[in-house]
Amino acid sequence: MAGRTARLVLLAGAAALASGSQGDREPVYRDCVHRCEERNCSGGALRHFRSRQPIYMSLAGWTCQDDCKYECMWVTVGLYIKEGHKVPQFHGKVSLNAWFWSTVFHTKDTDLTEKMDYFCASTVILHSIYLCCVRTVGLQHPAVASAFRALLLLLLTAHVSYLSLVRFDYGYNLAANVAIGLVNVVWWLAWCLRNRRRLPHVRKCMVVVLLLQGLSLLELLDFPPFFWVLDAHAIWHISTIPVHVLFFSFLEDDSLYLLKESEAKFKLD
């Protein structure tokens, strides 16, 4: 079942990538950007743009070229709607989110901020796997957890090095994150199912795992933004906020349980 799910997720992801940046490949869009940059991004026109640019946009590094891309995106969207076509996605991302590097990335899309956003996302998943290892194995066998931590750090280093030094491959990055995400989900869920009767608070963890798995579909099933503001990626980030609150509640309950268990063993000794 897990193998079939993985294949479906990977296929869905591949399909999303295939058409993920259709808008910015459109000849109408590219021609619009070219003409806009020629007209507005040099000489007196550029000085005029900078003089009327709000200070917050200047601090964010918003350039004349960025402004042309933004304006031409809406021109292209208007043409798509007028012709009755589905609104395309531009540059592979349009969203709002609360995490630091994602916030930086979506404030100013550069090579560096994009990489930091992607790398930090992979780090979060690997950290969750490590946390699961510590909870399920490491408490009884600390050496195993330490060795596993070293392995995860090696994998992360190899992943980041490949994407930074060899080739920034979106397809590979998606496949890698889906793979480690499935390991994370299966491992946590297996532990939860095995301990759900003995530890009532484990149900919170089960709910978190299932919700995150369901919400991840928002990352794969892209659609035009609601009110031209909230797209699937933004809704995913907003939806994960209460999920993380619930996960913290589980961690708190589990820590209290482990503390009581440790005190009980100390008294027996």
Side-chain angles (χ1 to χ4, degrees):
M1 180 65 181
R4 182 185 177 192
T5 303
R7 287 193 294 272
L8 288 173
V9 171
L10 287 172
L11 284 172
L17 283 173
S19 59
S21 298
Q22 177 186 348
D24 51 293
R25 291 196 301 265
E26 281 294 321
V28 172
Y29 169 79
R30 296 169 71 89
D31 182 61
C32 175
V33 171
H34 178 70
R35 287 187 287 107
C36 177
E37 289 179 351
E38 282 190 336
R39 185 172 60 250
N40 300 315
C41 299
S42 62
L46 178 59
R47 289 193 292 274
H48 176 68
F49 168 80
R50 289 172 175 169
S51 68
R52 65 182 176 83
Q53 184 181 34
I55 185 64
Y56 66 88
M57 295 185 73
S58 178
L59 291 173
W62 187 264
T63 66
C64 179
Q65 288 78 10
D66 293 327
D67 203 63
C68 283
K69 291 176 182 178
Y70 179 77
E71 295 297 334
C72 290
M73 176 185 72
W74 289 114
V75 170
T76 308
V77 165
L79 290 173
Y80 264 75
I81 293 175
K82 184 178 179 180
E83 297 296 327
H85 299 301
K86 181 182 176 182
V87 176
Q89 188 184 53
F90 289 82
H91 310 298
K93 73 290 289 183
V94 182
S95 71
L96 305 167
N97 59 85
W99 310 113
F100 176 74
W101 274 110
S102 289
T103 301
V104 174
F105 169 51
H106 289 291
T107 300
K108 178 60 178 174
D109 180 0
T110 67
D111 184 62
L112 174 63
T113 59
E114 181 179 44
K115 283 185 170 65
M116 290 303 298
D117 180 42
Y118 282 28
F119 297 161
C120 289
S122 300
T123 303
V124 167
I125 302 173
L126 288 173
H127 184 266
S128 180
I129 294 176
Y130 172 65
L131 182 63
C132 186
C133 175
V134 170
R135 182 61 183 92
T136 59
V137 180
L139 296 178
Q140 294 77 30
H141 307 283
V144 174
S146 297
F148 189 67
R149 178 180 59 193
L151 174 62
L152 292 179
L153 287 173
L154 183 63
L155 289 174
L156 179 62
T157 302
H159 179 70
V160 171
S161 298
Y162 173 75
L163 292 174
S164 300
L165 304 176
V166 181
R167 178 165 163 259
F168 197 81
D169 188 330
Y170 291 94
Y172 156 74
N173 183 69
L174 175 66
N177 280 286
V178 168
I180 61 176
L182 285 172
V183 171
N184 183 54
V185 167
V186 171
W187 196 344
W188 271 116
L189 200 57
W191 178 79
C192 290
L193 290 172
R194 191 167 62 249
N195 293 278
R196 68 185 186 282
R197 293 181 180 177
R198 186 172 64 89
L199 306 174
H201 63 272
V202 163
R203 294 172 185 170
K204 293 181 181 179
C205 184
M206 289 180 63
V207 172
V208 168
V209 170
L210 294 174
L211 279 176
L212 286 177
Q213 190 69 3
L215 290 171
S216 66
L217 293 175
L218 288 170
E219 288 284 77
L220 301 174
L221 305 177
D222 192 35
F223 50 79
F226 293 121
F227 311 111
W228 304 115
V229 175
L230 294 174
D231 67 350
H233 189 58
I235 295 172
W236 176 78
H237 276 288
I238 294 170
S239 302
T240 59
I241 294 174
V243 177
H244 284 86
V245 173
L246 182 60
F247 188 59
F248 178 81
S249 177
F250 156 71
L251 293 176
E252 186 178 35
D253 291 345
D254 200 48
S255 297
L256 290 172
Y257 164 77
L258 291 173
L259 181 62
K260 290 179 181 178
E261 187 181 56
S262 178
E263 290 176 347
K265 287 183 179 179
F266 179 78
K267 289 178 181 179
L268 288 176
D269 291 341

